[in-house]
Amino acid sequence: MAAQTRYVITNLGNLGGTSTQANAINASGAIVGFDATSFQVAKPFIFSGTAITALPTLNLQRNEANGINASGVVVGTNTGFPSAETRGFIVSNGVVTDLGANTSAVGIADDGTVAGNAFPRAFVRSSTGTVTPFGPSTTIATAMSRNGIVAGYTETANRRAFRYAGGTLTDLGALPGGSNSYGYGVNNAGTVVGSSNESTNRFLHAVIYSGGTVTDIDPTGTGALGSAALGINSAGTVVGQNSVGRAFIYTAATGIVDLNTLVTNLAASGFASLTSATAINDAGQIVGYGTVGGRTAAFRLDVSVAPAITAHPQPQTVPPGSSVVFSVTATGAALQYEWRLNNAPIAGATASTYTIPSATAGQAGSYTVRVSSGGESVTSNPASLAVTPGTTGRLINLSILTSLAGAADSFTMGYVVGGTGTSGSKPLVIRAAGPSLSLLGVTDALSDPKIELFAGATKTLENDNWGGGAAVADAMAAVGAFAFTGAASRDSALAVSTTQRDNSVKVSPVGNLTGSVLAEVYDATPAASVNPATPRLINVSVIKHIGTSLSAGFVIGGTASRTVLIRAVGPTLGTAFGLSGVVADPQLVLFNAAAAKIGENDNWGGGTALAAAFTSVGAFELPAASRDAALLVTLAPGNYSVQVSGVGNTTGTALVEVYEVP
């Protein structure tokens, strides 16, 4: 027999009721169902991400959400009492559409087509509102596939399962000798699942209807409840409830298996048992309901993947009193974290990051993190923390290598000068290398870039061709920048000094030229002259259309590590600042000088450590549910790069920021 997939369970929570049931799940994992306080009162819900939320209703009586499509449009049924009249409904963008008296809505396709019932016949309703009844009297629709195929059963002399597609209703038959059959779920291939008896008055067995054949997948089931197959995905994996009232999963390779035996964290979750699995999506996520503390509770099962660490915590050396953030990036479902110092667990350190606000010598040692998923775990490489006197790390360079596509294309790099307890001016080298990129093997270099410097909104300086001046050449050499090809090259550069806090440089082509350009901002303070009162680059940033991706390089100088906040902001640029064309879902990946990935983030998630860091550095807030990305990490002196791209190869404008964290 084939190896059986194992799962991790999530309790979906409740809305204050006593019985919660999940009925459907879409391709992206959004779940709908209902939470009941009594037989006559229930609220429909949607569970997306990590939160259960009540959906709007037709009234305050019994409302059940029965289906959800890829766009998040939900269908369901409202029942009013004491008449027990039903009304189907659609919820789209918070707006409820009433389908009328004596109707129900049981499923919705990705194109917005709805399946439902208007006694005594079933119907399909197009996305434009056209209703088409089908089937004889009485026809009961129970489910709809993502591409609009309907399953259910008719009530004539006997009950018979059907499939309805392309205007044709097909009787799916029953098990040999069986008098009644039912269809409860259907996939895009038109395979229907349900239940059938094998002779008059015999128990119902879970079945699959495919190719004119009815297959009994629970031939030994004899419990008083019978069994029923309730959901099927594109791979043909079936879920349902077995004949003794327990959730099951079925594949052709494994046969029918009790799901209670496959959940790695069932005992820890509080579930006493899983009663029924009601639906499964193409990612293999399963939803249903079981028992927790004597009440019915909705669940989601995710395929249990052994956790793997993709970015280990990094060693740090910091002066006393410095903030330190260790971070880990791992893959797996329902991950749990346990940080350790010298192999002893640290109380309360159970997040993907561990922060020391003010390091002392007593906190020096070897840090590891154990990452668990279900019943499996993996431990990170050790990361040492040394707390010794030294020069606190600081940002000393930001560089952007990108392409410009003519006169209408440009980008802006921002840099903020200052720091608590500092004063005086900050020397900087700012440049845009185009022609001289040939020294680095770049074949499509921009032949003539220019730079414009701004203090706030006021332009203070600009440069087209750098001119070969000795002062600028010496300044570039002092910061370790590669030399330009010669005095006549059309690269741009300025050696400046500023006391202004907020500054920026606009990089653009001369005329309608196109090609690659490397823009750089360097801290030009000699290392030997740095002291606590020396102004620093406390924030560097770039705002630009990312194309397929955008890489920003930065350098941590000094002799000790520095905690930094890195952000890739897209959606909030649109919602908070009205910027159009932003990348809808940016993700960032952090690399060290050896091109090893040491951190990554997709959606920042509203974590308290990150939110506190936003406040401490003066960054604008990001909504907790936004798809902007952020990473908090302590880095040793050296060169780093952050790559920003759009999830799913999407693109748009993004703001990439690196902040020094106090």
Side-chain angles (χ1 to χ4, degrees), residues 216-292:
D216 188 345
I217 64 173
D218 187 25
T220 61
T222 58
L225 297 174
S227 61
L230 303 176
I232 180 171
N233 66 8
S234 294
T237 303
V238 181
V239 296
Q241 181 173 324
N242 69 18
S243 58
V244 292
R246 291 167 73 87
F248 76 75
I249 185 169
Y250 169 90
T251 69
T254 63
I256 193 166
V257 180
D258 185 341
L259 270 171
N260 288 267
T261 67
L262 302 178
V263 180
T264 60
N265 63 333
L266 186 65
S269 72
F271 276 89
S273 66
L274 309 184
T275 307
S276 182
T278 54
I280 180 171
N281 66 10
D282 287 351
Q285 294 175 296
I286 301 168
V287 297
Y289 57 92
T291 303
V292 175

Side-chain angles (χ1 to χ4, degrees), residues 430-437 439 463 466-468 472 476 481-487 489-494 518 520:
I430 301 169
R431 62 185 208 162
S436 292
L437 290 179
L439 298 171
N463 180 258
W466 78 290
V472 175
M476 292 194 299
F482 67 89
F484 290 154
T485 55
S489 79
R490 293 188 175 181
D491 308 288
S492 298
L494 289 167
L518 174 66
E520 302 171 294

Side-chain angles (χ1 to χ4, degrees), residues 164-188:
Y164 177 76
T168 299
L169 188 145
T170 302
D171 184 335
L172 299 179
L175 289 172
S179 56
N180 293 302
S181 63
Y182 304 82
Y184 294 132
V186 58
N187 66 11
N188 280 356

Side-chain angles (χ1 to χ4, degrees), residues 11 22 127 130 170 198 303 321 324 337 366 379 388 496 522 537 605:
N11 187 334
S127 59
T130 301
T170 302
E198 54 185 331
V303 174
V324 176
Y337 305 90
S366 177
T379 299
T388 61
V496 298
Y522 289 90
L537 287 171

Side-chain angles (χ1 to χ4, degrees), residues 39-41 59 61-62 79-85:
F39 179 76
Q40 296 186 355
V41 179
N59 59 38
Q61 294 190 303
R62 188 174 183 87
T79 305
F81 295 94
S83 65
E85 177 188 78

Side-chain angles (χ1 to χ4, degrees), residues 539 541-546 550 565-577 579-588 601-604 614 619-623 626-631 642-646 651-659:
N539 169 227
S541 63
V542 60
I543 186 166
K544 190 185 184 297
H545 192 283
I546 65 172
L550 174 68
L565 169 67
I566 306 169
R567 309 203 304 180
V569 183
T572 301
L573 293 181
T575 56
F577 300 100
L579 189 65
S580 61
V582 300
V583 61
D585 191 359
Q587 59 185 352
L588 64 84
N601 181 256
D602 177 9
N603 304 326
W604 78 281
F614 298 169
F620 59 85
E621 293 183 359
L622 302 177
S626 80
R627 293 185 173 179
D628 306 291
L631 188 65
V642 55
Q643 183 182 72
V644 176
S645 59
T651 191
T653 297
L655 172 65
V656 183
E657 305 173 291
V658 182
Y659 290 89

Side-chain angles (χ1 to χ4, degrees), residues 482-574:
F482 67 89
F484 290 154
T485 55
S489 79
R490 293 188 175 181
D491 308 288
S492 298
L494 289 167
V496 298
S497 184
T498 182
T499 57
Q500 178 75 22
R501 177 178 171 85
D502 297 313
N503 307 271
S504 61
V505 53
K506 179 181 178 182
V507 182
S508 59
V510 172
N512 200 37
L513 297 172
T514 64
S516 295
V517 60
L518 174 66
E520 302 171 294
V521 176
Y522 289 90
D523 179 342
T525 303
S529 302
V530 174
N531 61 62
T534 303
R536 304 183 301 276
L537 287 171
I538 59 175
N539 169 227
V540 288
S541 63
V542 60
I543 186 166
K544 190 185 184 297
H545 192 283
I546 65 172
T548 55
S549 67
L550 174 68
S551 291
F554 63 94
V555 179
I556 303 293
T559 61
S561 302
R562 184 85 223 188
T563 300
V564 295
L565 169 67
I566 306 169
R567 309 203 304 180
V569 183
T572 301
L573 293 181

Side-chain angles (χ1 to χ4, degrees), residues 15 17 19 33-45 55 57 59-65 77-79 81:
L15 302 172
S19 178
F34 65 90
D35 183 53
T37 54
S38 68
F39 179 76
Q40 296 186 355
V41 179
K43 299 176 182 177
F45 72 77
L55 290 164
T57 62
N59 59 38
L60 297 179
Q61 294 190 303
R62 188 174 183 87
N63 291 269
E64 302 182 23
T77 302
N78 166 250
T79 305
F81 295 94

